Amino acid sequence: MSADEIRALMSAPGNDRLTWNTPLSEEHAAQLIAACAPVPGARIADFGSGWGELLMRLVEAAPGSTGDGIETDPEAVARGLRLAGERGLTDRVRFHEVPAAEYQGDGYDLAVSIGSSHAWPGGTSEALKALRAAVRPGGRVLFGDGFWEREPSPEALEGLGAEPGDFGSLLELIRQAEAAGLRPVQVTVADQREWDLFESAANIGRGERWALANPGHPLHAAVTEAVDARRTGYYGGYRGTLGLAYLVLST
């Protein structure tokens, strides 16, 4: 079994334990929603929405608003549709199973993309330009992307499977947004507790829970090894080095 197949096996169960697939607390999410300030009747798009938790909260914050979730993972979409039904949002939240870079839609009041810049061939810069094009004049963008909190060590790069040029500084990320015609309204970053809880629940935790639930499985040793490698990569590598910034931007 390949490394990709092992990662898929590790991540298959346990997504329902995650509120959002990003390092984010309830308080931080509420602050982001307040800064986005969706107005009644707003049209909102989330590129790479996952199961749409943040999208649904933004829609719930603005009476009469609607949301489009753009997501290619069918399991995430299925969860999103279920959640929308449970919350009475079936008529207000829709999902589109197309790649973010291929979605055709504009005139939105708010465009969101958290951790999905890789969906565009040009990465961060192209993602920001696409989000800018998706909103009407006077609209807002909520953009979440990685940056280096400090110079990455060899251990950090190995743990992430990354190169030094994959991310820049926080200021460089802000400058990229400005170059795309967007002005920062609010800039916040995931704190260490948010990161630790996310890694414990998601990347490391899902694999560990699978291994505990399947002690006799033929792939138990391989999954355990992958979990140990991820734990070493995080705690011995990129913890405190890779940051995640949330930029609320105006056009």
Side-chain angles (χ1 to χ4, degrees):
M1 179 171 277
S2 69
D4 286 343
E5 290 172 317
I6 291 174
R7 281 194 292 270
L9 183 65
M10 289 168 57
S11 64
N15 258 346
D16 284 355
R17 290 173 178 256
L18 298 175
T19 302
W20 8 67
N21 196 21
T22 186
L24 186 66
S25 65
E26 290 284 341
E27 179 184 7
H28 197 167
Q31 292 169 342
L32 293 177
I33 292 168
C36 288
V39 298
R43 294 179 62 237
I44 305 168
D46 189 339
F47 295 79
S49 64
W51 48 87
E53 180 64 34
L54 188 56
L55 176 64
M56 285 184 241
R57 295 202 190 193
L58 286 162
V59 167
E60 289 171 331
S65 63
T66 58
D68 289 305
I70 299 94
E71 176 57 57
T72 57
D73 181 353
E75 291 186 6
V77 170
R79 180 183 176 189
L81 291 171
R82 186 178 72 252
L83 289 174
E86 291 171 357
R87 291 151 82 161
L89 297 174
T90 301
D91 295 334
R92 296 173 62 192
V93 174
R94 298 169 295 179
F95 287 89
H96 310 268
E97 292 188 57
V98 298
E102 297 177 12
Y103 180 72
Q104 300 295 314
D106 57 21
Y108 286 100
D109 298 284
L110 172 65
V112 180
S113 177
I114 306 293
S116 298
S117 60
H118 60 274
W120 284 268
T124 297
S125 294
E126 189 173 334
L128 285 163
K129 291 176 184 177
L131 294 169
R132 172 66 182 84
V135 297
R136 62 168 178 79
R140 290 195 174 179
V141 168
L142 170 57
F143 185 65
D145 206 13
F147 70 97
W148 293 130
E149 295 260 17
R150 60 187 179 187
E151 191 73 22
S153 67
E155 292 80 11
L157 294 172
E158 182 180 357
L160 287 166
E163 299 292 334
D166 287 350
F167 303 101
S169 69
L170 178 56
L171 181 58
E172 287 171 329
L173 179 59
I174 293 169
R175 292 289 183 256
Q176 285 182 291
E178 292 172 341
L182 298 162
R183 299 290 299 174
V185 173
Q186 175 178 285
V187 177
T188 55
V189 301
D191 64 26
Q192 197 59 70
R193 183 173 181 271
E194 289 173 311
W195 268 110
D196 288 347
L197 289 173
F198 174 63
E199 289 286 345
S200 294
N203 299 314
I204 296 168
R206 283 183 294 204
E208 194 66 65
R209 289 191 296 273
W210 184 92
L212 288 170
N214 297 274
H217 196 282
L219 294 174
H220 183 271
V223 170
T224 300
E225 182 180 355
V227 170
D228 289 343
R230 181 76 188 210
R231 184 179 287 114
T232 298
Y234 178 60
Y235 293 105
Y238 62 91
R239 183 179 186 269
T241 297
L242 178 65
L244 198 292
Y246 297 97
L247 278 59
V248 179
L249 305 158
S250 65
T251 58

